[in-house]
């Protein structure tokens, strides 16, 4: 821990895709991807709605950009050229920034899901996260029934540390279990 300012990295170019902080003007791309992906996202993402407007999406992007600059939360878009292919982020749900714990969340658009992109994006986030960001521990949580999400974590070497029983609600309002996966900097093969 130290008291020097933390300047969060804002973009990672993985060649095939770019992961970067949202900025003003991204709202239309977010609206297109989120609305077209509604059926795909709805079982797992409580925020998914069929009718998100461009204005609402723009507000989400600007709020995310503001919180990013304040080091409150690091929400990121996954870009294939001008197409938003999904969203991700390093979230400070496991303590303050100084603790260097991040939780990664992710969604891949319906059009791009199932082609290995989520697996490759998590791999890129680990490489970026354990180098430029300096995270010590990276966590991934998923509904215990979300096989695709669990596989993305496992294929990137995250270890399942446990399962919280009936700790959350699913979209239908039923209680459901959460798997917790994590990887430490020392366990990452690129360390
Ligand atoms: C979960 C998600 C991020 C995975 O990304 P993806 O690009 O679709 O995943 P990949 O193509 O890299 O596939 C990863 C693994 O999941 C499996 N998988 C993909 N879609 C699946 C599905 N619908 N059902 C079961 N397994 C699936 C793949 O077969 C692969 O596993 P394998 O190598 O053992 O065959 C994406 O599907 C998504 O956005 N889902 C909806 C939102 C969500 O659940 N987010 C995660 C919240 S924790």
């Amino acid at each position: 821990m130290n008291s020097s300012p933390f300047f969060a990295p804002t973009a990672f170019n993985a060649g095939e895709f770019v992961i970067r902080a949202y900025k003003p003007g991204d709202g239309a791309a977010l609206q297109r991807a989120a609305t077209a992906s509604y059926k795909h996202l709805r079982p797992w993402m409580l925020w998914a709605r069929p009718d998100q407007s461009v204005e609402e999406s723009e507000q989400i992007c600007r709020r995310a950009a503001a919180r990013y600059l304040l080091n409150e939360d690091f929400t990121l878009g996954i870009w294939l050229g001008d197409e938003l292919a999904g969203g991700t982020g390093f979230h400070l749900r496991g303590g303050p920034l100084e603790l260097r714990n991040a939780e990664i969340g992710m969604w891949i658009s319906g059009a791009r899901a199932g082609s290995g992109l989520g697996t490759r994006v998590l791999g890129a986030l680990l490489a970026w996260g354990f180098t430029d960001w300096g995270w010590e521990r990276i966590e991934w949580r998923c509904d215990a029934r979300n096989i695709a999400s669990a596989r993305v974590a496992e294929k990137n070497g995250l270890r399942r540390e446990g399962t919280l029983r009936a700790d959350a609600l699913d979209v239908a309002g039923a209680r459901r279990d959460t798997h917790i996966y994590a990887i430490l900097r020392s366990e990452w093969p690129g360390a």
Side-chain angles (χ1 to χ4, degrees), residues 25 55 59 62 80 89 91 108 116 136 142 147 175 190:
E55 288 73 20
Q59 201 174 26
R62 288 177 183 232
L80 294 168
H91 306 297
I108 297 292
E136 292 293 337
C142 65
I147 311 248
R175 300 201 74 88

Side-chain angles (χ1 to χ4, degrees), residues 79 135 150:
W79 297 86
W135 301 118

Side-chain angles (χ1 to χ4, degrees):
M1 281 194 228
N2 61 56
S3 55
S4 55
F6 178 71
F7 299 115
T10 54
F12 183 83
N13 189 337
E16 175 196 5
F17 50 83
V18 170
I19 305 169
R20 68 158 170 83
Y22 286 108
K23 54 189 186 192
D26 285 341
L30 176 60
Q31 191 269 347
R32 270 195 300 279
T35 305
S37 304
Y38 171 70
K39 281 197 181 129
H40 162 67
L41 298 175
R42 183 60 184 161
W44 312 112
M45 311 308 267
L46 293 173
W47 51 259
R49 300 218 326 270
D51 54 358
Q52 189 170 301
S53 71
V54 173
E55 288 73 20
E56 286 169 314
S57 305
E58 181 67 19
Q59 201 174 26
I60 289 168
C61 293
R62 288 177 183 232
R63 192 180 299 270
R67 296 194 70 201
Y68 203 108
L69 290 176
L70 291 169
N71 285 349
E72 290 179 359
D73 186 62
F74 305 107
T75 303
L76 297 151
I78 304 159
W79 297 86
L80 294 168
D82 292 337
E83 176 194 339
L84 185 70
T88 184
F90 292 114
H91 306 297
L92 300 175
R93 296 176 187 145
L97 181 61
E98 294 71 30
L99 204 56
R100 295 289 189 260
N101 290 344
E103 181 185 327
I104 293 179
M106 191 189 296
W107 62 276
I108 297 292
S109 70
R112 300 286 179 178
S115 58
L117 182 60
T119 302
R120 295 193 293 279
V121 169
L122 181 56
L125 287 168
L126 297 183
W128 192 29
F130 285 132
T131 54
D132 294 357
W133 284 84
W135 301 118
E136 292 293 337
R137 171 185 163 88
I138 292 180
E139 209 171 280
W140 175 274
R141 293 180 175 227
C142 65
D143 185 322
R145 300 166 299 186
N146 193 341
I147 311 248
S149 179
R151 287 296 296 143
V152 165
E154 288 161 1
K155 288 169 73 177
N156 276 289
L158 281 75
R159 188 185 301 176
R160 193 196 292 177
E161 296 183 332
T163 303
L164 302 176
R165 296 173 303 145
D167 68 306
L169 299 179
D170 68 13
V171 285
R175 300 201 74 88
R176 54 97 173 159
D177 299 344
T178 299
H179 285 330
I180 301 177
Y181 287 88
I183 182 168
L184 307 182
R185 171 202 290 283
S186 55
E187 295 167 344
W188 177 61

